[in-house]
Amino acid sequence: MGDAAEPARFHHAEHGTGRPVLVLHGGGVDHREAEACFDPALDRAGLRRLYPDLPGSGRTPAPDGLRSADDVVDALLSWADAVVDRQRYLLVGHSAGAYLARGMASRRPERVAGLALVCPLLADVRDVPAHRVLVPAPEPIGDDGFRDYFVVHTRAMLDRYERYVAPGAALQDAAAEARIGERWLLTEGPAYPGPTLVVAGRLDSTVGYAAAVDLLGVHPRASLAVVDGAGHALPHERPEVLGALLGEWLERVDATQRAVPGGGPQGG
């Protein structure tokens, strides 16, 4: 593995106080998309929300020492140790962010109070459907990036894309993405045993939903939802459903912490 980035080099947005939750965005964007999609529900839950720019995204650099997904996970774990001290934290990830969050939880289950994976990128992605627009606009709107990402083509969704997705895409370090992408498979570890949420879009033409369904048999305390009317942009397209699912997950996290001395992850 390469030399992990210094924790202080991670740029992040932070809001609120209370139990910390780290929210990792997907590929090709920066923290602004995750912040826009997840913050309403997590704010209502009274959490301390931290949204980092992943290495090579937004305002977080990707030094040459970062040469694999394992290196990125190492850097994220070091950053998490710095920003939350000895507290246990919640982990939420969308797309590639979910892939990295799962790696973090596998390596440090004792630090993670709960894991939420939304439209997760996985090593064994399969059976990805062709892109199909569920709600077309009267005439084509947006650029190819919007039309290929969203299955709901409305002015409201285009506004979200232009405000929260496209600006981050313009800041990507393509060379770093290619370098890390050459070794993007994470070293396998034990599946996180604590309260887990898996959410997939029925129309997701980026990673599909079949591999996400398989996680139900991998994580012993996973709840699974495959959401109709949404694709890979599910956090934009079905925010009310996502908010309800996150609320149920947080209730399970709370129940686990009350039941288990020290609040450690519990399988079974």
Side-chain angles (χ1 to χ4, degrees), residues 215-234:
L215 293 179
L216 195 62
V218 175
H219 292 274
R221 296 203 53 207
S223 288
L224 168 72
V226 178
V227 180
D228 187 29
H232 201 58
L234 182 152

Side-chain angles (χ1 to χ4, degrees), residues 29 32-40 146 149-150 152 154-168 233-239 242:
V29 297
R32 286 172 285 185
E33 181 179 29
E35 186 178 31
C37 290
F38 291 95
D39 207 60
F146 167 75
Y149 183 23
F150 285 71
V152 177
T154 63
R155 289 289 173 181
M157 291 298 105
L158 178 59
D159 178 67
R160 292 186 66 85
Y161 171 80
E162 292 178 339
R163 291 175 65 187
Y164 305 124
V165 179
L234 182 152
H236 297 280
E237 295 167 335
R238 299 300 304 274
L242 180 59

Side-chain angles (χ1 to χ4, degrees), residues 128-267:
V128 178
H131 187 66
R132 177 167 67 88
V133 176
L134 182 69
V135 180
E139 56 185 34
I141 60 174
D143 59 17
D144 289 343
F146 167 75
R147 291 191 292 269
D148 291 344
Y149 183 23
F150 285 71
V151 301
V152 177
H153 288 189
T154 63
R155 289 289 173 181
M157 291 298 105
L158 178 59
D159 178 67
R160 292 186 66 85
Y161 171 80
E162 292 178 339
R163 291 175 65 187
Y164 305 124
V165 179
L171 300 177
Q172 297 301 296
D173 183 339
E177 182 179 9
R179 183 179 72 240
I180 295 168
E182 290 179 357
R183 298 176 179 85
W184 74 276
L185 285 177
L186 287 170
T187 302
E188 288 287 337
Y192 174 69
T196 303
L197 172 66
V198 181
V199 184
R202 183 67 177 81
L203 300 177
D204 190 329
S205 60
T206 301
V207 301
Y209 66 88
V213 171
D214 293 343
L215 293 179
L216 195 62
V218 175
H219 292 274
R221 296 203 53 207
S223 288
L224 168 72
V226 178
V227 180
D228 187 29
H232 201 58
L234 182 152
H236 297 280
E237 295 167 335
R238 299 300 304 274
E240 72 291 346
V241 175
L242 180 59
L245 291 167
L246 289 170
E248 185 277 335
W249 168 65
L250 291 170
E251 289 176 1
R252 289 192 288 125
V253 170
D254 287 340
T256 297
Q257 293 205 324
R258 290 192 299 268
V260 180
Q266 181 183 27

Side-chain angles (χ1 to χ4, degrees), residues 1-7 10 24-26 52-57 60-80 91 96-101 103-104 107-108 176-187:
M1 297 182 188
D3 296 329
E6 291 294 327
F10 274 87
L24 309 185
H25 64 78
D53 286 337
L54 296 175
S57 303
T60 296
D64 288 342
L66 289 180
R67 295 189 169 274
S68 68
D70 281 324
D71 290 343
V72 174
V73 168
D74 287 342
L76 282 165
L77 289 170
S78 295
W79 171 75
L91 267 177
Y99 182 65
L100 297 171
M104 293 174 68
R107 294 190 192 180
R108 299 273 189 86
E177 182 179 9
R179 183 179 72 240
I180 295 168
E182 290 179 357
R183 298 176 179 85
W184 74 276
L185 285 177
L186 287 170
T187 302

